[in-house]
Amino acid sequence: MKRTCFTFITTLTLYSMTQAQPLTAPKAAIKPKELITNGHKRTDNYYYLNERENPEVIKYLNAENAYLEQVLAPVKGLQDKLFEEMKGRIKQQDESVPYKEGPYYYYTRYITGGEYPIYCRKKGSLEGAEEIMFDGNALAKGHNYYQLGGYEVSDNDELAIFAEDTVSRRLYTLRIKNLKTGQVYPETIADTEAGSFAWATDNKTLFYIKKDPQTLLGYQVYRHVLGTDPKTDVLVYEEEDNQFYMGLGRSKSKKYITIGSDHNGVSTEYRLLEASQPMGTFKSFLPREKGHEYEIVHYKDKFYVRTNWKAENFRLMEVPEGKTTDRTAWKEVIPHRPDVYLADIDVFANHLVLGERKAGLTNIRVINQKTKTDEYLDFGEPAYVAGIGYNPDFNTNVLRYSYASLTTPNSTFDYNMDTHDKTLLKQQEVLGGFDKNNYVSERFYVTARDGAQVPVSLVYRKGTKKDGSAPLLQYSYGSYGYSTDPGFSSTRLSLLDRGFIYAIAHIRGGQEMGRRWYEDGKMLKKKNTFNDFVDVSEYLIKNKYTSADKLFAMGGSAGGLLMGAVINQAPQLYRGVVAAVPFVDVVTTMLDESIPLTTGEFEEWGNPKQPVYYDYMLSYSPYDNVEKKAYPNLLVTTGLHDSQVQYWEPAKWVAKLRTLKTDNNQLLLHTNMEAGHGGASGRFQALKEIALEFAFMLNLVGEKQ
């Protein structure tokens, strides 16, 4: 990390109840740094804020936090009330639906007052004795942040690999626990990838991914033998292309250990090793080639392949073991369909299950392998999300799936694929008198400026007037092909019950409408994402769902980039904006290959070392396009240890906005000094950050209760 000396000036006039003095925001010193790329010169006045360990930078971030507390002091009571309200909807003593894998039933449960889950299992039946594998509350003691990054049980059910992060930098320490004795073995392996580890069938050999501590890219796969010094672990594969992300796991059939390499929506390659031959060599399923993405599921003596080979929206093919590299041996099972995106697959002994997207909604399709008949599950609501659950058992006719909508809490179902009977196993219990019948959801399409039909899902409490008087929160993400589905949120009720309408704009950059929806919202078409959001905002105002003085916008990470671009383009449309961990310094970040996520994302944003991408990025990068004009009220959040969007991006953005904006609206920066990209850990602590965001918005519309 670069380090330079700099001077720093901060002024903070504390709020005085007696003198009612105006608050003075912190001001970061201007230290011009000249940046030259492709012959073009930029001047960055706040570049120095990237010095994470410099005491003066920490002092500035703390000053911004103190300023925020002073500005929002009048609604501190509301913030506390919101926290208690949201916490009060959570069933504190709760338990997940168990799933059966091998001879055990696995589940998680929470205890009253517990921040973290307890991971448990029972042998033979649900009436068996409970075994606690991991107590998250005990493991988190002494840490300001704690995250269990998954676990994997050995084939003999006696050992478990698990990974821990206590800093929130997504660098996990891998450990091994004997589930019979409770002993945690002495060997520890630092800087690993969460959830990317697998046992061989010998119950003593395991594989894991090592990450580069600087870029946070997983790039090496090692083999470790239980009881040996991790320093002697054997490197079995190294990814030499830093544009690829890696994952590692065990196939559902348990026959193979797989290494997956993905080039961010451009190319995929899998390598396989039979789990019974841990000293063997990983072999490529099909060598990578630019433009070809695929996903594999092993089934008996063949593989199912979800592939975009000559199929933009993907199709399903099958190929015998031993012939995977011969594309002529691939046989089509489900053809490509221009109006249906094939998103997911799962395989059972007698059934094939597909997760599909059509017209922006998720569907689950069940195919009987014997009769060749198929059916789609009926969900009966206009806006919802349904997904294939965790189904580790091949030899079953029961499908576990999840369902939720804007008005229906998260639900877990079992579906008998032969009898077509559906059983609700658990629905999220929302305390405090919640009744789904008190809320209404809608779904419609907005015509964007170029004619694209943008889906919108929204929800509000019955009786909310649609005459322009209601406050409305519009949310979007719109990047990486990630779809923002209309799911349930119990915290959102605190806004709906105070008269807010909540709207999701399913803008380009996601895959709600298929692969083309993503392709038209990335690289040199990225501005479609921003235009879609603004066009939806104008529609909501024109059709009196809200008005410009009551419209709020929210987005996080790449969705924070969206927020920054939108308020540069159309600041007059919004009363307030919440930008969470926002990716706003696009050009500078994408030029720095030493920090996480840069090289792997050239195919999302472009490589700014090439003039065509540099010029295009520069034309929308929020930080580079701040101007002397009025901006909406703005709450910006970040985490000091954020590994995805470094804290200095939002810090620099706020500093520049303070200098140039011409309005008197609120501009607030909150830095969680102990957390990273995902915010605080623990199920209750995270609510405090949501309460802050809600209090910020409610205060602006005069709601104090």
Side-chain angles (χ1 to χ4, degrees):
M1 185 173 292
K2 300 180 179 67
R3 295 180 180 274
T4 56
C5 297
F6 65 93
T7 58
F8 175 86
I9 301 173
T10 276
T11 5
L12 178 61
T13 304
L14 296 181
Y15 184 84
S16 169
M17 294 295 292
T18 53
Q19 299 180 9
Q21 295 177 338
L23 296 172
T24 302
K27 287 194 179 293
I30 292 176
K31 282 286 281 190
K33 181 178 178 63
E34 189 175 275
L35 303 170
I36 300 176
T37 308
N38 301 325
H40 178 262
K41 182 175 74 173
R42 292 180 296 138
T43 301
D44 188 343
N45 289 331
Y46 305 102
Y47 186 87
Y48 63 85
L49 288 179
N50 66 4
E51 297 187 359
R52 189 195 315 272
E53 298 178 8
N54 189 308
E56 296 297 336
V57 172
I58 299 300
K59 184 179 178 182
Y60 168 67
L61 297 176
N62 283 327
E64 285 284 4
N65 283 346
Y67 174 69
L68 176 144
E69 289 182 8
Q70 295 297 317
V71 171
L72 294 183
V75 289
K76 182 61 168 64
L78 173 60
Q79 188 176 334
D80 293 341
K81 181 179 180 180
L82 286 165
F83 170 74
E84 294 298 335
E85 192 176 280
M86 292 185 285
K87 182 179 177 181
R89 295 194 190 99
I90 297 174
K91 185 180 180 182
Q92 295 213 20
Q93 189 164 320
D94 204 1
E95 189 174 302
S96 69
V97 177
Y99 64 86
K100 187 175 184 296
E101 188 163 11
Y104 284 90
Y105 289 86
Y106 292 85
Y107 59 97
T108 58
R109 61 179 176 86
Y110 284 93
I111 59 174
T112 300
E115 288 278 2
Y116 299 92
I118 301 171
Y119 299 84
C120 310
R121 67 179 185 174
K122 293 180 179 180
K123 189 173 184 178
S125 75
L126 293 175
E127 283 69 49
E130 179 180 82
E131 299 177 27
I132 294 178
M133 299 184 294
F134 306 102
D135 183 342
N137 301 296
L139 292 168
K141 281 186 178 179
H143 302 292
N144 292 321
Y145 176 93
Y146 183 81
Q147 185 70 43
L148 183 71
Y151 67 89
E152 186 73 21
V153 177
S154 60
D155 287 30
N156 64 4
D157 302 305
E158 294 182 3
L159 305 171
I161 311 166
F162 68 105
E164 300 176 297
D165 178 14
T166 58
V167 183
S168 190
R169 282 287 288 171
R170 302 194 184 190
L171 289 169
Y172 286 79
T173 298
L174 188 150
R175 308 177 77 186
I176 301 148
K177 182 176 182 179
N178 187 310
L179 298 177
K180 291 184 70 177
T181 66
Q183 178 190 4
V184 176
Y185 292 158
E187 60 248 55
T188 59
I189 304 170
D191 301 336
T192 67
E193 183 76 68
S196 283
F197 32 74
W199 288 103
T201 59
D202 63 4
N203 303 301
K204 66 178 183 179
T205 307
L206 61 95
F207 297 83
Y208 63 90
I209 291 178
K210 193 82 169 176
K211 299 180 79 170
D212 182 322
Q214 179 69 20
T215 66
L216 301 186
L217 285 173
Y219 72 110
Q220 293 176 324
V221 176
Y222 280 89
R223 182 179 66 227
H224 174 77
V225 178
L226 200 62
T228 64
D229 187 343
K231 293 180 181 177
T232 65
D233 288 354
V234 177
L235 177 66
V236 296
Y237 175 70
E238 182 166 2
E239 178 56 68
E240 297 180 353
D241 189 335
N242 63 7
Q243 290 187 261
F244 278 80
Y245 298 103
M246 278 205 305
L248 184 149
R250 189 89 171 263
S251 65
K252 179 176 177 176
S253 67
K254 299 295 184 183
K255 183 175 181 178
Y256 293 100
I257 296 168
T258 65
I259 299 171
S261 298
D262 177 66
H263 186 182
N264 204 28
V266 174
S267 180
T268 311
E269 183 175 15
Y270 282 91
R271 287 177 170 79
L272 306 177
L273 173 68
E274 290 199 29
S276 61
Q277 305 294 323
M279 300 301 162
T281 302
F282 282 87
K283 297 180 179 179
S284 179
F285 178 91
L286 180 74
R288 66 186 64 174
E289 53 187 64
K290 187 175 177 63
H292 184 212
E293 293 181 87
Y294 66 91
E295 174 187 356
I296 59 175
V297 176
H298 179 245
Y299 173 70
K300 295 182 180 179
D301 59 352
K302 64 182 177 182
F303 289 89
Y304 282 104
V305 187
R306 173 183 167 270
T307 172
N308 71 343
W309 176 41
K310 299 181 180 178
E312 183 177 57
N313 271 343
F314 289 80
R315 57 176 167 163
L316 188 65
M317 307 188 80
E318 63 181 28
V319 59
E321 286 182 318
K323 295 186 177 181
T324 62
T325 58
D326 179 8
R327 205 86 64 92
T328 63
W330 291 24
K331 177 183 176 183
E332 187 172 82
V333 179
I334 303 292
H336 174 260
R337 293 154 292 170
D339 61 337
V340 177
Y341 175 70
L342 178 59
D344 196 11
I345 58 173
D346 203 349
V347 178
F348 301 83
N350 297 315
H351 299 86
L352 178 64
V353 180
L354 309 179
E356 301 178 344
R357 287 186 176 275
K358 184 176 182 179
L361 290 173
T362 52
N363 294 297
I364 296 178
R365 181 183 179 187
V366 179
I367 301 172
N368 188 306
Q369 298 269 53
K370 290 183 176 180
T371 65
K372 303 304 179 184
T373 58
D374 69 342
E375 63 174 327
Y376 284 90
L377 275 61
D378 181 22
F379 303 117
E381 290 191 85
Y384 64 86
V385 56
I388 302 170
Y390 183 53
N391 295 278
D393 189 1
F394 262 116
N395 299 306
T396 179
N397 62 351
V398 177
L399 167 71
R400 175 72 52 83
Y401 73 91
S402 62
Y403 177 82
S405 75
L406 292 169
T407 60
T408 302
N410 301 322
S411 307
T412 302
F413 286 88
D414 271 357
Y415 179 73
N416 189 304
M417 295 181 282
D418 290 327
T419 66
H420 314 299
D421 292 327
K422 181 166 52 176
T423 304
L424 175 62
L425 301 176
K426 179 183 175 66
Q427 186 169 92
Q428 174 190 354
E429 188 173 347
V430 182
L431 305 182
F434 169 76
D435 182 351
K436 65 172 292 183
N437 296 312
N438 290 333
Y439 304 90
V440 180
S441 67
E442 295 183 21
R443 187 173 178 86
F444 50 81
Y445 293 84
V446 171
T447 303
R449 63 193 68 181
D450 64 354
Q453 296 295 301
V454 182
V456 177
S457 304
L458 58 79
V459 62
Y460 51 87
R461 189 177 176 93
K462 280 184 179 177
T464 301
K465 294 181 180 179
K466 290 185 283 186
D467 59 1
S469 64
L472 186 149
L473 175 58
Q474 180 181 336
Y475 177 84
S476 284
Y477 185 74
S479 289
Y480 304 109
Y482 295 163
S483 298
T484 306
D485 290 310
F488 184 80
S489 167
S490 65
T491 59
R492 187 191 301 146
L493 299 174
S494 291
L495 289 181
L496 303 184
D497 290 346
R498 288 173 172 83
F500 262 76
I501 297 172
Y502 180 82
I504 301 171
H506 304 282
I507 56 181
R508 280 173 282 188
Q511 285 185 139
E512 290 93 334
M513 301 288 282
R515 182 62 179 220
R516 178 51 47 188
W517 204 242
Y518 171 40
E519 297 293 340
D520 285 347
K522 63 185 288 196
M523 302 288 277
L524 298 176
K525 296 182 179 180
K526 188 61 200 172
K527 289 182 183 179
N528 285 334
T529 301
F530 317 138
N531 295 342
D532 286 355
F533 191 91
V534 169
D535 293 346
V536 169
S537 297
E538 291 178 337
Y539 177 94
L540 293 170
I541 293 170
K542 180 180 179 181
N543 288 273
K544 298 191 179 301
Y545 283 94
T546 190
S547 56
D549 64 344
K550 291 188 176 181
L551 176 58
F552 294 83
M554 179 186 286
S557 193
L561 160 65
L562 170 67
M563 296 299 100
V566 160
I567 63 172
N568 280 335
Q569 180 184 146
Q572 74 283 357
L573 294 179
Y574 307 98
R575 178 67 182 276
V577 171
V578 177
V581 292
F583 172 43
V584 285
D585 191 14
V586 183
V587 178
T588 303
T589 292
M590 292 304 297
L591 282 166
D592 187 352
E593 297 184 16
S594 72
I595 61 178
L597 297 185
T598 295
T599 56
E601 301 202 352
F602 287 153
E603 295 294 341
E604 179 73 22
W605 315 102
N607 186 341
K609 292 178 181 177
Q610 301 176 27
V612 63
Y613 294 112
Y614 175 83
D615 294 343
Y616 190 74
M617 278 185 205
L618 193 61
S619 72
Y620 70 73
S621 172
Y623 181 65
D624 293 288
N625 286 281
V626 174
E627 298 175 324
K628 286 187 177 181
K629 63 183 178 185
Y631 284 91
N633 294 282
L634 191 61
L635 171 63
V636 183
T637 66
T638 187
L640 181 64
H641 301 290
D642 196 330
S643 60
Q644 309 301 101
V645 177
Q646 306 293 328
Y647 75 89
W648 57 78
E649 292 197 45
K652 288 166 52 177
W653 186 43
V654 167
K656 188 173 183 179
L657 280 164
R658 287 209 192 286
T659 303
L660 294 178
K661 76 189 193 81
T662 60
D663 58 85
N664 294 317
N665 290 329
Q666 294 178 5
L667 174 57
L668 305 174
L669 172 65
H670 177 258
T671 304
N672 188 322
M673 304 301 285
E674 298 172 348
H677 198 64
S681 63
R683 58 175 175 161
F684 300 130
Q685 289 302 311
L687 296 178
K688 292 182 178 179
E689 299 182 1
I690 300 174
L692 170 67
E693 296 165 353
F694 285 8
F696 165 76
M697 292 184 285
L698 288 164
N699 181 47
L700 291 171
V701 293
E703 177 63 59
K704 308 296 182 184
Q705 301 296 321

